[in-house]
Amino acid sequence: MIDFSLWPPSAEDAARIDGYSQRQKLFDGDHKHAFELTSAKIPAGLAQKLYLAADWPKLITLVQADMLFGESPILSQAEQIQMNNMVEETGLMVSLYEACLSASFRGDAVIQIGTGNDGTLCIEEKPAYCYFVERDPDNQRRILSEALAWEREDILGNPVLMVEHHFPGLIKREAFALDGPFFASQYTKRRNGKIKLAQVYGANAPAEEEDTGIERSLLFHIPNFRHGSQYFGQSDYTEPLISNFDSYNDRLTKIHSILDKHSDPKMVVPYGTLDERGQVKGGSMGLFQLPPGSDPNNPRYLTWNGELVAAYMELDKLADLIFKFSEIAPAIFGEDKAGSIESGRAMKFRFTRTIAKIRRKRLYWHRALMQLLLWAQKYATAHGLSYLQEDSPVKYAPARGYARIQWQDGLPKDTKEDVSTESERVQNRLSSVVSAIQRIDNCTEQAAVDELARIRAEEEQNPSGRTTPNTGAAPGAGPGAPEPIASAT
């Protein structure tokens, strides 16, 4: 079990939480404080300082979350009605989208299943900075125990540390008094050791031990991506990419500062125009004359011919590097220099690196989502939770296996191109009609079967209107004629 005699429990955890903090500031658009020691250079006690920031981090994260969960994956299983209601009632897709955002900028996402305050199934994200693990010294991927820990105040306003130890089938809760506020970069020791949960929550204190009813921890950790020697994931905001964000902001701010400084040019006047007090003789710029022999170009404004071409070229180069290092296709933002995209196939070719990155992330999310769906239903079954209204007699049935997940790419669909492609596949016996309908209409297998049944019923009522794809011939026109395909309405 993890030892919380120090908070955070290890130097590695403290460094991890520090990294989460900076990257969250970048995602939230708080670049001034994220780079306060570098390009922002905020002097002590100075709250306001001219600083321009380009919100690259948020764009990078939103693109990836939109492509993973902006278009919800299709979930299919034997208990399809149960699955549909569970997804709807728990707001699962919203939780997954939010967790995907966190995984992108932090490098990790943590999702917990449990019972909500209203007695229904609850699936929600937990901040990764609250998640701690005890690993096997001989195998960094083997977890001996895991916990959630966070700081809060007790009923008297004193800082306390709450800890939930998660084991298969069991949750143990502890509370500890702290001797000072939480700083991720420092260790804060306990003040008076363990305290009663009632001192923290009063009469509504949860049980110190809770039987979860399932033989698995209720926590699901999803890394953004990682290599074999790591347990925690890596953020999309790598250190080289962060340095490019910093440099872009610095150059943008300096260009603005230079242009602002020279937006109010000074005037050059002939010698003798100003009196001994530095004022214009005659009281007004319109009431003086040039002495004989003066430069006819005076008076004039003193302007600066700013050579900013190199600075703007550097901005363009930094933008190219950010696109390259983040693996985001410029065409996604309409910045593609190759011109307009004419078809869905051409679009996917332009987005090759971005699509590859999303598929890489999907490797981690696919297994985690299958596990999450299975154990959420087992948990609901064990606790007799309803997936409909409170007075509904229907309860969750035991899940009989993993759900099938059909991922979407999040890109605009070229329906005409898709129908043509699927028609050729069916005609050449490379796909079933049901599978083709699923891919075209982004629906479950059961919905595709129902749609095909409706199509056949309509064909029986109007046999003369039945044609095979791309030919217009009657379906019985030759041996082995393929089944027709139609899109759901």
Side-chain angles (χ1 to χ4, degrees):
M1 196 163 69
I2 304 172
D3 180 13
F4 283 91
S5 58
L6 293 176
W7 174 236
S10 72
E12 180 186 2
D13 289 320
R16 176 170 60 92
I17 295 171
D18 275 342
Y20 289 162
S21 177
Q22 185 198 27
R23 288 166 172 81
Q24 182 169 334
K25 289 175 183 175
L26 290 174
F27 175 76
D28 290 337
D30 188 9
H31 293 225
K32 181 180 287 189
H33 290 94
F35 295 127
E36 60 184 341
L37 300 179
T38 51
S39 63
K41 296 184 177 69
I42 302 176
L46 183 61
Q48 299 296 327
K49 178 181 184 293
L50 179 65
Y51 185 72
L52 297 185
D55 216 357
W56 288 103
K58 180 172 288 185
L59 288 177
I60 291 170
T61 291
L62 288 177
V63 164
Q64 297 173 77
D66 289 344
M67 293 183 70
L68 266 174
F69 291 107
E71 189 176 1
S72 300
I74 308 301
L75 309 177
S76 304
Q77 69 172 30
E79 303 82 10
Q80 189 62 51
I81 295 178
Q82 173 173 300
M83 171 67 73
N84 294 344
N85 281 281
M86 182 183 73
V87 171
E88 184 68 24
E89 290 296 315
T90 59
L92 177 63
M93 292 306 163
V94 175
S95 297
L96 293 176
Y97 183 86
E98 293 176 350
C100 186
L101 294 176
S102 299
S104 174
F105 67 79
R106 289 191 182 118
D108 302 280
V110 180
I111 298 178
Q112 180 181 7
I113 58 177
T115 305
N117 294 331
D118 57 355
T120 60
L121 179 65
C122 180
I123 303 177
E124 60 184 351
E125 182 202 359
K126 296 294 183 180
Y129 55 76
C130 296
Y131 178 69
F132 302 90
V133 295
E134 178 188 10
R135 286 169 285 181
D136 187 337
D138 298 319
N139 184 351
Q140 291 296 297
R141 293 290 181 85
R142 182 169 179 264
I143 302 304
L144 303 179
S145 64
E146 54 186 348
L148 294 177
W150 63 96
E151 186 176 313
R152 58 161 294 165
E153 294 181 347
D154 63 14
I155 55 178
L156 299 179
N158 300 314
V160 298
L161 176 67
M162 277 300 307
V163 180
E164 284 186 356
H165 296 278
H166 286 255
F167 304 98
L170 181 66
I171 297 177
K172 290 185 176 180
R173 297 183 176 89
E174 297 178 307
F176 302 94
L178 292 176
D179 62 359
F182 167 62
F183 297 97
S185 59
Q186 301 177 6
Y187 287 131
T188 302
K189 295 184 178 180
R190 296 179 193 162
R191 184 173 59 189
N192 296 318
K194 189 174 180 180
I195 61 176
K196 297 289 185 180
L197 296 184
Q199 293 179 243
V200 182
Y201 296 96
N204 297 319
E208 290 189 359
E209 293 192 3
E210 177 185 343
D211 182 3
T212 64
I214 59 174
E215 59 276 15
R216 189 202 186 282
S217 164
L218 300 183
L219 300 179
F220 297 80
H221 170 244
I222 305 104
N224 188 44
F225 66 94
R226 62 187 181 183
H227 54 74
S229 61
Q230 293 180 319
Y231 175 76
F232 288 101
Q234 296 182 20
S235 169
D236 286 323
Y237 308 164
T238 60
E239 289 301 328
L241 198 53
I242 290 176
S243 68
N244 278 273
F245 298 153
D246 189 15
S247 296
Y248 196 97
N249 292 347
D250 183 42
R251 183 58 56 215
L252 198 63
T253 301
K254 287 180 178 177
I255 289 175
H256 177 81
S257 178
I258 290 171
L259 294 177
D260 187 63
K261 182 182 296 184
H262 292 277
S263 64
D264 184 19
K266 305 301 181 184
M267 176 169 279
V268 176
V269 295
Y271 180 78
T273 302
L274 303 179
D275 61 20
E276 61 277 4
R277 293 176 298 174
Q279 296 180 352
V280 177
K281 295 180 179 179
S284 170
M285 288 296 295
L287 297 178
F288 74 92
Q289 62 180 2
L290 296 175
S294 296
D295 184 350
N297 294 322
N298 284 325
R300 66 182 184 273
Y301 281 110
L302 179 62
T303 60
W304 172 70
N305 184 18
E307 297 294 339
L308 294 176
V309 175
Y312 286 116
M313 290 177 63
E314 183 182 7
L315 278 183
D316 290 340
K317 184 61 177 178
L318 286 171
D320 289 341
L321 291 174
I322 291 172
F323 281 129
K324 183 178 295 185
F325 294 154
S326 64
E327 299 181 84
I328 301 297
I332 290 179
F333 302 114
E335 299 291 333
D336 194 0
K337 300 176 183 178
S340 61
I341 298 175
E342 298 178 354
S343 68
R345 180 179 299 178
M347 176 174 61
K348 290 185 178 181
F349 282 136
R350 300 275 185 88
F351 295 174
T352 299
R353 284 308 311 154
T354 305
I355 292 174
K357 183 172 188 176
I358 297 304
R359 287 175 177 167
R360 185 190 317 144
K361 290 172 175 281
R362 199 177 292 160
L363 295 174
Y364 297 97
W365 282 96
H366 187 85
R367 177 174 174 78
L369 185 52
M370 286 198 307
Q371 294 274 350
L372 178 65
L373 293 170
L374 176 66
W375 289 102
Q377 292 176 83
K378 287 187 175 183
Y379 180 88
T381 301
H383 292 265
L385 301 178
S386 171
Y387 62 83
L388 294 175
Q389 290 77 19
E390 293 183 1
D391 57 349
S392 172
V394 183
K395 303 295 181 181
Y396 277 117
R400 288 177 283 180
Y402 290 117
R404 294 181 297 280
I405 306 174
Q406 179 184 343
W407 292 92
Q408 311 301 308
D409 56 20
L411 300 175
K413 296 186 70 66
D414 188 337
T415 306
K416 183 177 180 180
E417 184 178 325
D418 291 346
V419 170
S420 177
T421 300
E422 295 298 343
S423 296
E424 290 182 9
R425 293 182 65 178
V426 172
Q427 188 173 357
N428 293 310
R429 296 187 178 278
L430 298 176
S431 174
S432 69
V433 179
V434 170
S435 296
I437 293 175
Q438 277 187 269
R439 288 189 290 267
I440 292 175
D441 293 336
N442 294 333
C443 61
T444 64
E445 182 178 354
Q446 184 59 51
V449 170
D450 294 341
E451 181 65 18
L452 182 58
R454 286 192 292 269
I455 293 171
R456 288 175 173 168
E458 291 177 359
E459 289 169 349
E460 291 178 359
Q461 296 175 4
N462 184 20
S464 62
R466 183 181 180 188
T467 59
T468 54
N470 301 330
T471 64
E483 292 285 350
I485 178 175
S487 175
T489 57

